[in-house]
Amino acid sequence: MGQYRLQRLNDQLRDEISQLILHGDVKDPRVNTFLSINRVEVTKDLAYAKVFVSTFLTDNQLEKGVDGLNAAAGFIQREIAKKLRIRQFPKLQFVVDYGMKEGFKMVQKLNELEKASNEESGEETTEQSSDE
């Protein structure tokens, strides 16, 4: 399967799974509407698809949500297979993705460093002006 076609399938699966979660079609109580599907990686033979899930909720809630999605994987596969016309639908495997949360923490740390740097340079200019 061509790389461009595989990428389109990844994007389409991501969108369809997100819609199922957002509309509340997945009835498992562990699956929260705050779960976010970051990306989907389908193997070249279309046998498997890793679905990376993240959220801004606690890590415990994220892991429970991923467990709920793995439990509902058969339902999700069936619902999406009704909409998509592909010969073999990939088996979905949901995986916890901490990337979004780690990126957010990194931005916070950078903002704190920038703020500290600005305060430090502000103190230096105040000291220089008082010396004159």
Side-chain angles (χ1 to χ4, degrees):
M1 179 177 267
Q3 186 64 28
Y4 178 70
R5 188 168 174 220
L6 198 59
Q7 184 59 43
R8 278 193 354 224
L9 179 61
N10 290 338
D11 293 342
Q12 193 168 13
L13 284 175
R14 185 191 71 225
D15 294 342
E16 293 294 336
I17 295 169
S18 296
Q19 289 300 318
L20 284 174
I21 293 171
L22 188 63
H23 291 197
D25 294 337
V26 181
K27 301 296 183 194
D28 194 310
R30 297 173 288 185
V31 177
N32 195 330
T33 56
F34 289 111
L35 294 177
S36 175
I37 307 299
N38 286 353
R39 69 182 192 274
V40 177
E41 293 179 357
V42 178
T43 58
K44 291 186 183 217
D45 63 352
L46 298 180
Y48 298 97
K50 274 190 181 178
V51 182
F52 294 89
V53 182
S54 67
T55 185
F56 282 116
L57 301 174
T58 63
D59 290 343
N60 188 27
Q61 289 176 317
L62 175 60
E63 290 169 3
K64 284 182 180 179
V66 169
D67 289 342
L69 287 171
N70 278 319
F75 167 76
I76 295 170
Q77 286 172 209
R78 186 179 71 237
E79 290 298 310
I80 297 174
K82 289 178 186 175
K83 297 177 185 179
L84 300 181
R85 298 284 184 211
I86 57 176
R87 178 183 287 188
Q88 178 183 0
F89 195 84
K91 182 177 178 351
L92 299 176
Q93 178 187 7
F94 293 90
V95 179
V96 175
D97 185 13
Y98 295 108
M100 189 162 63
K101 191 174 283 190
E102 289 174 0
F104 184 72
K105 288 179 183 177
M106 183 67 71
V107 169
Q108 284 182 327
K109 288 178 183 178
L110 289 173
N111 287 339
E112 290 172 8
L113 287 173
E114 184 179 17
K115 184 178 177 183
S117 174
N118 288 341
E119 289 175 358
E120 187 176 293
S121 65
E123 290 173 7
E124 288 178 7
T125 56
T126 307
E127 289 174 6
Q128 289 175 357
S129 61
S130 63
D131 290 341
E132 295 173 3

mmCIF file of all heavy atoms in Angstrom, residues 2-50:
data_model
loop_
_atom_site.group_PDB
_atom_site.id
_atom_site.type_symbol
_atom_site.label_atom_id
_atom_site.label_comp_id
_atom_site.label_asym_id
_atom_site.label_seq_id
_atom_site.Cartn_x
_atom_site.Cartn_y
_atom_site.Cartn_z
ATOM 1 N N GLY A 2 0.564 2.215 -0.814
ATOM 2 C CA GLY A 2 1.370 3.422 -0.929
ATOM 3 C C GLY A 2 1.412 4.213 0.366
ATOM 4 O O GLY A 2 0.480 4.163 1.184
ATOM 5 N N GLN A 3 2.505 4.934 0.555
ATOM 6 C CA GLN A 3 2.702 5.695 1.788
ATOM 7 C C GLN A 3 1.621 6.752 1.967
ATOM 8 O O GLN A 3 1.101 6.946 3.065
ATOM 9 C CB GLN A 3 4.099 6.344 1.776
ATOM 10 C CG GLN A 3 4.466 7.027 3.060
ATOM 11 C CD GLN A 3 4.560 6.075 4.233
ATOM 12 O OE1 GLN A 3 4.862 4.905 4.072
ATOM 13 N NE2 GLN A 3 4.277 6.560 5.408
ATOM 14 N N TYR A 4 1.242 7.425 0.869
ATOM 15 C CA TYR A 4 0.221 8.467 0.961
ATOM 16 C C TYR A 4 -1.128 7.863 1.338
ATOM 17 O O TYR A 4 -1.854 8.395 2.171
ATOM 18 C CB TYR A 4 0.119 9.214 -0.369
ATOM 19 C CG TYR A 4 -0.940 10.274 -0.379
ATOM 20 C CD1 TYR A 4 -0.777 11.434 0.364
ATOM 21 C CD2 TYR A 4 -2.115 10.118 -1.107
ATOM 22 C CE1 TYR A 4 -1.745 12.411 0.379
ATOM 23 C CE2 TYR A 4 -3.087 11.086 -1.096
ATOM 24 C CZ TYR A 4 -2.898 12.233 -0.351
ATOM 25 O OH TYR A 4 -3.864 13.195 -0.331
ATOM 26 N N ARG A 5 -1.453 6.728 0.765
ATOM 27 C CA ARG A 5 -2.721 6.067 1.059
ATOM 28 C C ARG A 5 -2.752 5.573 2.510
ATOM 29 O O ARG A 5 -3.774 5.661 3.189
ATOM 30 C CB ARG A 5 -2.927 4.901 0.097
ATOM 31 C CG ARG A 5 -4.285 4.280 0.208
ATOM 32 C CD ARG A 5 -4.537 3.339 -0.943
ATOM 33 N NE ARG A 5 -5.788 2.658 -0.736
ATOM 34 C CZ ARG A 5 -5.999 1.390 -1.000
ATOM 35 N NH1 ARG A 5 -5.037 0.661 -1.520
ATOM 36 N NH2 ARG A 5 -7.157 0.842 -0.782
ATOM 37 N N LEU A 6 -1.632 5.073 2.993
ATOM 38 C CA LEU A 6 -1.525 4.619 4.374
ATOM 39 C C LEU A 6 -1.698 5.789 5.337
ATOM 40 O O LEU A 6 -2.379 5.666 6.366
ATOM 41 C CB LEU A 6 -0.175 3.937 4.590
ATOM 42 C CG LEU A 6 -0.028 3.041 5.800
ATOM 43 C CD1 LEU A 6 -1.027 1.897 5.775
ATOM 44 C CD2 LEU A 6 1.381 2.480 5.859
ATOM 45 N N GLN A 7 -1.119 6.928 5.005
ATOM 46 C CA GLN A 7 -1.268 8.123 5.848
ATOM 47 C C GLN A 7 -2.723 8.595 5.875
ATOM 48 O O GLN A 7 -3.234 9.004 6.916
ATOM 49 C CB GLN A 7 -0.346 9.245 5.349
ATOM 50 C CG GLN A 7 -0.370 10.484 6.216
ATOM 51 C CD GLN A 7 0.048 10.208 7.638
ATOM 52 O OE1 GLN A 7 1.006 9.494 7.881
ATOM 53 N NE2 GLN A 7 -0.678 10.750 8.593
ATOM 54 N N ARG A 8 -3.397 8.536 4.743
ATOM 55 C CA ARG A 8 -4.816 8.901 4.700
ATOM 56 C C ARG A 8 -5.643 7.970 5.573
ATOM 57 O O ARG A 8 -6.570 8.415 6.262
ATOM 58 C CB ARG A 8 -5.339 8.854 3.258
ATOM 59 C CG ARG A 8 -5.019 10.078 2.478
ATOM 60 C CD ARG A 8 -5.787 10.183 1.179
ATOM 61 N NE ARG A 8 -6.601 9.037 0.834
ATOM 62 C CZ ARG A 8 -6.667 8.497 -0.370
ATOM 63 N NH1 ARG A 8 -5.950 8.996 -1.348
ATOM 64 N NH2 ARG A 8 -7.447 7.476 -0.608
ATOM 65 N N LEU A 9 -5.326 6.683 5.545
ATOM 66 C CA LEU A 9 -6.037 5.715 6.383
ATOM 67 C C LEU A 9 -5.777 5.998 7.859
ATOM 68 O O LEU A 9 -6.707 5.951 8.679
ATOM 69 C CB LEU A 9 -5.619 4.283 6.027
ATOM 70 C CG LEU A 9 -6.280 3.177 6.839
ATOM 71 C CD1 LEU A 9 -7.791 3.188 6.644
ATOM 72 C CD2 LEU A 9 -5.705 1.823 6.457
ATOM 73 N N ASN A 10 -4.542 6.317 8.222
ATOM 74 C CA ASN A 10 -4.212 6.687 9.603
ATOM 75 C C ASN A 10 -5.062 7.869 10.067
ATOM 76 O O ASN A 10 -5.649 7.848 11.153
ATOM 77 C CB ASN A 10 -2.734 7.037 9.743
ATOM 78 C CG ASN A 10 -1.817 5.854 9.614
ATOM 79 O OD1 ASN A 10 -2.213 4.712 9.818
ATOM 80 N ND2 ASN A 10 -0.572 6.122 9.265
ATOM 81 N N ASP A 11 -5.122 8.901 9.232
ATOM 82 C CA ASP A 11 -5.883 10.098 9.577
ATOM 83 C C ASP A 11 -7.371 9.807 9.680
ATOM 84 O O ASP A 11 -8.057 10.297 10.587
ATOM 85 C CB ASP A 11 -5.636 11.202 8.551
ATOM 86 C CG ASP A 11 -4.207 11.714 8.586
ATOM 87 O OD1 ASP A 11 -3.502 11.489 9.595
ATOM 88 O OD2 ASP A 11 -3.784 12.329 7.584
ATOM 89 N N GLN A 12 -7.879 9.002 8.772
ATOM 90 C CA GLN A 12 -9.300 8.690 8.775
ATOM 91 C C GLN A 12 -9.672 7.850 10.002
ATOM 92 O O GLN A 12 -10.702 8.094 10.629
ATOM 93 C CB GLN A 12 -9.692 7.962 7.496
ATOM 94 C CG GLN A 12 -11.181 7.882 7.289
ATOM 95 C CD GLN A 12 -11.537 7.431 5.886
ATOM 96 O OE1 GLN A 12 -10.687 6.953 5.140
ATOM 97 N NE2 GLN A 12 -12.802 7.582 5.541
ATOM 98 N N LEU A 13 -8.836 6.894 10.355
ATOM 99 C CA LEU A 13 -9.094 6.108 11.564
ATOM 100 C C LEU A 13 -9.065 6.990 12.804
ATOM 101 O O LEU A 13 -9.912 6.854 13.704
ATOM 102 C CB LEU A 13 -8.067 4.984 11.699
ATOM 103 C CG LEU A 13 -8.242 3.778 10.787
ATOM 104 C CD1 LEU A 13 -7.067 2.819 10.956
ATOM 105 C CD2 LEU A 13 -9.547 3.070 11.072
ATOM 106 N N ARG A 14 -8.103 7.893 12.869
ATOM 107 C CA ARG A 14 -8.012 8.814 14.015
ATOM 108 C C ARG A 14 -9.295 9.637 14.148
ATOM 109 O O ARG A 14 -9.870 9.756 15.231
ATOM 110 C CB ARG A 14 -6.805 9.734 13.863
ATOM 111 C CG ARG A 14 -6.589 10.637 15.079
ATOM 112 C CD ARG A 14 -5.580 11.715 14.837
ATOM 113 N NE ARG A 14 -6.166 12.673 13.913
ATOM 114 C CZ ARG A 14 -5.539 13.197 12.866
ATOM 115 N NH1 ARG A 14 -4.299 12.869 12.615
ATOM 116 N NH2 ARG A 14 -6.136 14.050 12.077
ATOM 117 N N ASP A 15 -9.776 10.161 13.024
ATOM 118 C CA ASP A 15 -10.982 10.976 13.052
ATOM 119 C C ASP A 15 -12.214 10.165 13.449
ATOM 120 O O ASP A 15 -13.033 10.615 14.254
ATOM 121 C CB ASP A 15 -11.212 11.627 11.686
ATOM 122 C CG ASP A 15 -10.140 12.641 11.335
ATOM 123 O OD1 ASP A 15 -9.418 13.101 12.251
ATOM 124 O OD2 ASP A 15 -10.015 12.970 10.138
ATOM 125 N N GLU A 16 -12.340 8.957 12.907
ATOM 126 C CA GLU A 16 -13.512 8.128 13.207
ATOM 127 C C GLU A 16 -13.526 7.685 14.665
ATOM 128 O O GLU A 16 -14.574 7.706 15.320
ATOM 129 C CB GLU A 16 -13.546 6.896 12.290
ATOM 130 C CG GLU A 16 -13.785 7.221 10.832
ATOM 131 C CD GLU A 16 -15.162 7.793 10.544
ATOM 132 O OE1 GLU A 16 -16.100 7.532 11.330
ATOM 133 O OE2 GLU A 16 -15.310 8.497 9.539
ATOM 134 N N ILE A 17 -12.380 7.288 15.204
ATOM 135 C CA ILE A 17 -12.312 6.873 16.605
ATOM 136 C C ILE A 17 -12.616 8.068 17.512
ATOM 137 O O ILE A 17 -13.350 7.943 18.490
ATOM 138 C CB ILE A 17 -10.936 6.259 16.935
ATOM 139 C CG1 ILE A 17 -10.740 4.965 16.152
ATOM 140 C CG2 ILE A 17 -10.805 5.994 18.426
ATOM 141 C CD1 ILE A 17 -9.327 4.411 16.203
ATOM 142 N N SER A 18 -12.090 9.231 17.163
ATOM 143 C CA SER A 18 -12.358 10.441 17.951
ATOM 144 C C SER A 18 -13.852 10.758 17.973
ATOM 145 O O SER A 18 -14.401 11.123 19.017
ATOM 146 C CB SER A 18 -11.589 11.630 17.380
ATOM 147 O OG SER A 18 -10.214 11.428 17.488
ATOM 148 N N GLN A 19 -14.496 10.613 16.831
ATOM 149 C CA GLN A 19 -15.932 10.889 16.759
ATOM 150 C C GLN A 19 -16.728 9.909 17.616
ATOM 151 O O GLN A 19 -17.681 10.303 18.288
ATOM 152 C CB GLN A 19 -16.421 10.837 15.305
ATOM 153 C CG GLN A 19 -15.951 12.007 14.458
ATOM 154 C CD GLN A 19 -16.425 13.339 15.009
ATOM 155 O OE1 GLN A 19 -17.556 13.486 15.440
ATOM 156 N NE2 GLN A 19 -15.527 14.318 15.012
ATOM 157 N N LEU A 20 -16.359 8.638 17.596
ATOM 158 C CA LEU A 20 -17.049 7.647 18.426
ATOM 159 C C LEU A 20 -16.922 7.982 19.914
ATOM 160 O O LEU A 20 -17.890 7.863 20.673
ATOM 161 C CB LEU A 20 -16.495 6.244 18.167
ATOM 162 C CG LEU A 20 -16.923 5.558 16.877
ATOM 163 C CD1 LEU A 20 -16.171 4.244 16.702
ATOM 164 C CD2 LEU A 20 -18.420 5.318 16.853
ATOM 165 N N ILE A 21 -15.739 8.409 20.325
ATOM 166 C CA ILE A 21 -15.520 8.759 21.729
ATOM 167 C C ILE A 21 -16.289 10.028 22.080
ATOM 168 O O ILE A 21 -16.965 10.103 23.108
ATOM 169 C CB ILE A 21 -14.018 8.932 22.028
ATOM 170 C CG1 ILE A 21 -13.304 7.592 21.902
ATOM 171 C CG2 ILE A 21 -13.800 9.525 23.414
ATOM 172 C CD1 ILE A 21 -11.800 7.698 21.974
ATOM 173 N N LEU A 22 -16.201 11.026 21.211
ATOM 174 C CA LEU A 22 -16.826 12.321 21.467
ATOM 175 C C LEU A 22 -18.344 12.217 21.543
ATOM 176 O O LEU A 22 -18.975 12.856 22.388
ATOM 177 C CB LEU A 22 -16.414 13.317 20.386
ATOM 178 C CG LEU A 22 -16.820 14.759 20.594
ATOM 179 C CD1 LEU A 22 -16.151 15.302 21.853
ATOM 180 C CD2 LEU A 22 -16.435 15.594 19.399
ATOM 181 N N HIS A 23 -18.938 11.410 20.696
ATOM 182 C CA HIS A 23 -20.399 11.271 20.674
ATOM 183 C C HIS A 23 -20.915 10.343 21.760
ATOM 184 O O HIS A 23 -22.122 10.188 21.912
ATOM 185 C CB HIS A 23 -20.852 10.772 19.307
ATOM 186 C CG HIS A 23 -20.661 11.779 18.223
ATOM 187 N ND1 HIS A 23 -21.285 11.694 17.012
ATOM 188 C CD2 HIS A 23 -19.913 12.913 18.145
ATOM 189 C CE1 HIS A 23 -20.942 12.708 16.251
ATOM 190 N NE2 HIS A 23 -20.093 13.457 16.925
ATOM 191 N N GLY A 24 -20.010 9.693 22.505
ATOM 192 C CA GLY A 24 -20.423 8.815 23.579
ATOM 193 C C GLY A 24 -20.929 7.469 23.105
ATOM 194 O O GLY A 24 -21.689 6.806 23.815
ATOM 195 N N ASP A 25 -20.538 7.046 21.908
ATOM 196 C CA ASP A 25 -20.982 5.756 21.383
ATOM 197 C C ASP A 25 -20.334 4.592 22.124
ATOM 198 O O ASP A 25 -20.906 3.508 22.187
ATOM 199 C CB ASP A 25 -20.676 5.652 19.883
ATOM 200 C CG ASP A 25 -21.492 6.647 19.068
ATOM 201 O OD1 ASP A 25 -22.551 7.076 19.555
ATOM 202 O OD2 ASP A 25 -21.061 6.990 17.952
ATOM 203 N N VAL A 26 -19.147 4.818 22.676
ATOM 204 C CA VAL A 26 -18.470 3.782 23.460
ATOM 205 C C VAL A 26 -19.048 3.864 24.872
ATOM 206 O O VAL A 26 -18.843 4.839 25.581
ATOM 207 C CB VAL A 26 -16.940 3.996 23.474
ATOM 208 C CG1 VAL A 26 -16.258 2.913 24.274
ATOM 209 C CG2 VAL A 26 -16.396 4.037 22.062
ATOM 210 N N LYS A 27 -19.775 2.838 25.271
ATOM 211 C CA LYS A 27 -20.541 2.884 26.518
ATOM 212 C C LYS A 27 -19.733 2.506 27.764
ATOM 213 O O LYS A 27 -20.244 2.565 28.861
ATOM 214 C CB LYS A 27 -21.755 1.938 26.424
ATOM 215 C CG LYS A 27 -22.690 2.263 25.295
ATOM 216 C CD LYS A 27 -23.332 3.611 25.472
ATOM 217 C CE LYS A 27 -24.333 3.856 24.351
ATOM 218 N NZ LYS A 27 -24.731 5.230 24.280
ATOM 219 N N ASP A 28 -18.491 2.118 27.610
ATOM 220 C CA ASP A 28 -17.668 1.741 28.757
ATOM 221 C C ASP A 28 -17.488 2.962 29.661
ATOM 222 O O ASP A 28 -17.088 4.033 29.203
ATOM 223 C CB ASP A 28 -16.302 1.230 28.273
ATOM 224 C CG ASP A 28 -15.526 0.509 29.352
ATOM 225 O OD1 ASP A 28 -15.399 1.072 30.456
ATOM 226 O OD2 ASP A 28 -15.069 -0.616 29.099
ATOM 227 N N PRO A 29 -17.793 2.839 30.971
ATOM 228 C CA PRO A 29 -17.693 3.997 31.867
ATOM 229 C C PRO A 29 -16.263 4.503 32.061
ATOM 230 O O PRO A 29 -16.067 5.641 32.479
ATOM 231 C CB PRO A 29 -18.265 3.482 33.199
ATOM 232 C CG PRO A 29 -18.202 2.007 33.112
ATOM 233 C CD PRO A 29 -18.283 1.645 31.663
ATOM 234 N N ARG A 30 -15.276 3.691 31.739
ATOM 235 C CA ARG A 30 -13.882 4.136 31.882
ATOM 236 C C ARG A 30 -13.474 5.083 30.761
ATOM 237 O O ARG A 30 -12.518 5.840 30.890
ATOM 238 C CB ARG A 30 -12.945 2.928 31.876
ATOM 239 C CG ARG A 30 -13.182 1.987 33.037
ATOM 240 C CD ARG A 30 -12.355 0.747 32.897
ATOM 241 N NE ARG A 30 -12.904 -0.091 31.820
ATOM 242 C CZ ARG A 30 -12.462 -1.289 31.511
ATOM 243 N NH1 ARG A 30 -11.436 -1.801 32.158
ATOM 244 N NH2 ARG A 30 -13.016 -1.986 30.538
ATOM 245 N N VAL A 31 -14.208 5.051 29.650
ATOM 246 C CA VAL A 31 -13.872 5.888 28.496
ATOM 247 C C VAL A 31 -14.491 7.265 28.700
ATOM 248 O O VAL A 31 -15.704 7.418 28.742
ATOM 249 C CB VAL A 31 -14.370 5.247 27.187
ATOM 250 C CG1 VAL A 31 -14.083 6.164 26.013
ATOM 251 C CG2 VAL A 31 -13.714 3.896 26.987
ATOM 252 N N ASN A 32 -13.641 8.259 28.821
ATOM 253 C CA ASN A 32 -14.048 9.634 29.073
ATOM 254 C C ASN A 32 -14.007 10.422 27.768
ATOM 255 O O ASN A 32 -13.173 10.163 26.905
ATOM 256 C CB ASN A 32 -13.079 10.243 30.096
ATOM 257 C CG ASN A 32 -13.591 11.513 30.693
ATOM 258 O OD1 ASN A 32 -14.323 12.264 30.068
ATOM 259 N ND2 ASN A 32 -13.201 11.761 31.934
ATOM 260 N N THR A 33 -14.887 11.407 27.622
ATOM 261 C CA THR A 33 -14.884 12.221 26.398
ATOM 262 C C THR A 33 -13.670 13.141 26.334
ATOM 263 O O THR A 33 -13.415 13.735 25.296
ATOM 264 C CB THR A 33 -16.159 13.070 26.289
ATOM 265 O OG1 THR A 33 -16.289 13.867 27.465
ATOM 266 C CG2 THR A 33 -17.381 12.182 26.136
ATOM 267 N N PHE A 34 -12.906 13.237 27.430
ATOM 268 C CA PHE A 34 -11.696 14.058 27.430
ATOM 269 C C PHE A 34 -10.489 13.316 26.861
ATOM 270 O O PHE A 34 -9.399 13.880 26.786
ATOM 271 C CB PHE A 34 -11.375 14.562 28.832
ATOM 272 C CG PHE A 34 -12.331 15.607 29.317
ATOM 273 C CD1 PHE A 34 -13.210 15.331 30.347
ATOM 274 C CD2 PHE A 34 -12.366 16.855 28.731
ATOM 275 C CE1 PHE A 34 -14.097 16.280 30.794
ATOM 276 C CE2 PHE A 34 -13.247 17.822 29.164
ATOM 277 C CZ PHE A 34 -14.125 17.532 30.203
ATOM 278 N N LEU A 35 -10.662 12.069 26.476
ATOM 279 C CA LEU A 35 -9.561 11.329 25.856
ATOM 280 C C LEU A 35 -9.330 11.868 24.455
ATOM 281 O O LEU A 35 -10.267 12.153 23.720
ATOM 282 C CB LEU A 35 -9.879 9.837 25.802
ATOM 283 C CG LEU A 35 -9.975 9.119 27.143
ATOM 284 C CD1 LEU A 35 -10.368 7.667 26.927
ATOM 285 C CD2 LEU A 35 -8.668 9.190 27.898
ATOM 286 N N SER A 36 -8.081 11.989 24.093
ATOM 287 C CA SER A 36 -7.707 12.530 22.792
ATOM 288 C C SER A 36 -6.898 11.498 22.015
ATOM 289 O O SER A 36 -5.957 10.915 22.550
ATOM 290 C CB SER A 36 -6.879 13.798 22.995
ATOM 291 O OG SER A 36 -6.399 14.281 21.773
ATOM 292 N N ILE A 37 -7.266 11.285 20.770
ATOM 293 C CA ILE A 37 -6.525 10.378 19.894
ATOM 294 C C ILE A 37 -5.463 11.209 19.180
ATOM 295 O O ILE A 37 -5.791 12.040 18.340
ATOM 296 C CB ILE A 37 -7.453 9.680 18.872
ATOM 297 C CG1 ILE A 37 -8.627 8.990 19.574
ATOM 298 C CG2 ILE A 37 -6.667 8.711 18.019
ATOM 299 C CD1 ILE A 37 -8.226 7.913 20.541
ATOM 300 N N ASN A 38 -4.199 10.999 19.543
ATOM 301 C CA ASN A 38 -3.114 11.786 18.950
ATOM 302 C C ASN A 38 -2.761 11.322 17.552
ATOM 303 O O ASN A 38 -2.665 12.129 16.627
ATOM 304 C CB ASN A 38 -1.861 11.724 19.819
ATOM 305 C CG ASN A 38 -2.004 12.563 21.048
ATOM 306 O OD1 ASN A 38 -2.969 13.293 21.194
ATOM 307 N ND2 ASN A 38 -1.055 12.465 21.940
ATOM 308 N N ARG A 39 -2.514 10.024 17.418
ATOM 309 C CA ARG A 39 -2.147 9.512 16.100
ATOM 310 C C ARG A 39 -2.456 8.031 16.029
ATOM 311 O O ARG A 39 -2.642 7.370 17.039
ATOM 312 C CB ARG A 39 -0.678 9.776 15.778
ATOM 313 C CG ARG A 39 0.316 8.992 16.592
ATOM 314 C CD ARG A 39 1.756 9.387 16.206
ATOM 315 N NE ARG A 39 2.720 8.478 16.764
ATOM 316 C CZ ARG A 39 3.239 8.572 17.972
ATOM 317 N NH1 ARG A 39 2.861 9.548 18.772
ATOM 318 N NH2 ARG A 39 4.129 7.702 18.396
ATOM 319 N N VAL A 40 -2.500 7.535 14.801
ATOM 320 C CA VAL A 40 -2.735 6.121 14.542
ATOM 321 C C VAL A 40 -1.636 5.660 13.601
ATOM 322 O O VAL A 40 -1.320 6.350 12.634
ATOM 323 C CB VAL A 40 -4.119 5.884 13.898
ATOM 324 C CG1 VAL A 40 -4.330 4.426 13.568
ATOM 325 C CG2 VAL A 40 -5.222 6.382 14.811
ATOM 326 N N GLU A 41 -1.054 4.507 13.892
ATOM 327 C CA GLU A 41 -0.022 3.928 13.028
ATOM 328 C C GLU A 41 -0.490 2.553 12.572
ATOM 329 O O GLU A 41 -0.540 1.616 13.364
ATOM 330 C CB GLU A 41 1.316 3.816 13.774
ATOM 331 C CG GLU A 41 1.943 5.147 14.108
ATOM 332 C CD GLU A 41 3.242 5.003 14.867
ATOM 333 O OE1 GLU A 41 3.656 3.870 15.193
ATOM 334 O OE2 GLU A 41 3.854 6.050 15.156
ATOM 335 N N VAL A 42 -0.838 2.443 11.299
ATOM 336 C CA VAL A 42 -1.285 1.180 10.723
ATOM 337 C C VAL A 42 -0.085 0.497 10.078
ATOM 338 O O VAL A 42 0.718 1.148 9.398
ATOM 339 C CB VAL A 42 -2.390 1.419 9.670
ATOM 340 C CG1 VAL A 42 -2.829 0.118 9.040
ATOM 341 C CG2 VAL A 42 -3.570 2.133 10.289
ATOM 342 N N THR A 43 0.046 -0.818 10.305
ATOM 343 C CA THR A 43 1.138 -1.555 9.671
ATOM 344 C C THR A 43 0.891 -1.630 8.172
ATOM 345 O O THR A 43 -0.236 -1.469 7.700
ATOM 346 C CB THR A 43 1.253 -2.977 10.244
ATOM 347 O OG1 THR A 43 0.017 -3.661 10.048
ATOM 348 C CG2 THR A 43 1.597 -2.940 11.721
ATOM 349 N N LYS A 44 1.942 -1.884 7.410
ATOM 350 C CA LYS A 44 1.835 -1.886 5.948
ATOM 351 C C LYS A 44 0.909 -2.978 5.420
ATOM 352 O O LYS A 44 0.293 -2.816 4.374
ATOM 353 C CB LYS A 44 3.216 -2.031 5.315
ATOM 354 C CG LYS A 44 4.061 -0.807 5.520
ATOM 355 C CD LYS A 44 5.357 -0.893 4.771
ATOM 356 C CE LYS A 44 6.166 0.340 5.105
ATOM 357 N NZ LYS A 44 6.913 0.858 4.021
ATOM 358 N N ASP A 45 0.802 -4.099 6.156
ATOM 359 C CA ASP A 45 -0.080 -5.173 5.701
ATOM 360 C C ASP A 45 -1.511 -5.014 6.223
ATOM 361 O O ASP A 45 -2.344 -5.884 6.029
ATOM 362 C CB ASP A 45 0.481 -6.542 6.092
ATOM 363 C CG ASP A 45 0.577 -6.732 7.589
ATOM 364 O OD1 ASP A 45 0.357 -5.757 8.349
ATOM 365 O OD2 ASP A 45 0.878 -7.865 8.015
ATOM 366 N N LEU A 46 -1.802 -3.904 6.882
ATOM 367 C CA LEU A 46 -3.124 -3.573 7.431
ATOM 368 C C LEU A 46 -3.621 -4.566 8.478
ATOM 369 O O LEU A 46 -4.827 -4.669 8.721
ATOM 370 C CB LEU A 46 -4.173 -3.462 6.312
ATOM 371 C CG LEU A 46 -3.953 -2.385 5.265
ATOM 372 C CD1 LEU A 46 -5.065 -2.416 4.246
ATOM 373 C CD2 LEU A 46 -3.851 -1.028 5.910
ATOM 374 N N ALA A 47 -2.724 -5.299 9.114
ATOM 375 C CA ALA A 47 -3.143 -6.278 10.109
ATOM 376 C C ALA A 47 -3.387 -5.622 11.474
ATOM 377 O O ALA A 47 -4.315 -6.010 12.179
ATOM 378 C CB ALA A 47 -2.091 -7.373 10.248
ATOM 379 N N TYR A 48 -2.585 -4.647 11.828
ATOM 380 C CA TYR A 48 -2.680 -4.021 13.144
ATOM 381 C C TYR A 48 -2.608 -2.504 13.033
ATOM 382 O O TYR A 48 -2.022 -1.966 12.093
ATOM 383 C CB TYR A 48 -1.534 -4.492 14.055
ATOM 384 C CG TYR A 48 -1.557 -5.975 14.320
ATOM 385 C CD1 TYR A 48 -0.771 -6.835 13.574
ATOM 386 C CD2 TYR A 48 -2.370 -6.511 15.301
ATOM 387 C CE1 TYR A 48 -0.802 -8.203 13.792
ATOM 388 C CE2 TYR A 48 -2.402 -7.868 15.537
ATOM 389 C CZ TYR A 48 -1.621 -8.712 14.781
ATOM 390 O OH TYR A 48 -1.660 -10.060 14.996
ATOM 391 N N ALA A 49 -3.188 -1.850 14.044
ATOM 392 C CA ALA A 49 -3.109 -0.395 14.132
ATOM 393 C C ALA A 49 -2.902 -0.019 15.595
ATOM 394 O O ALA A 49 -3.672 -0.440 16.460
ATOM 395 C CB ALA A 49 -4.369 0.249 13.594
ATOM 396 N N LYS A 50 -1.854 0.745 15.864
ATOM 397 C CA LYS A 50 -1.628 1.281 17.208
ATOM 398 C C LYS A 50 -2.293 2.646 17.265
ATOM 399 O O LYS A 50 -2.050 3.504 16.416
ATOM 400 C CB LYS A 50 -0.141 1.440 17.496
ATOM 401 C CG LYS A 50 0.528 0.228 18.018
ATOM 402 C CD LYS A 50 1.937 0.563 18.488
ATOM 403 C CE LYS A 50 2.621 -0.692 18.987
ATOM 404 N NZ LYS A 50 3.991 -0.405 19.407
#
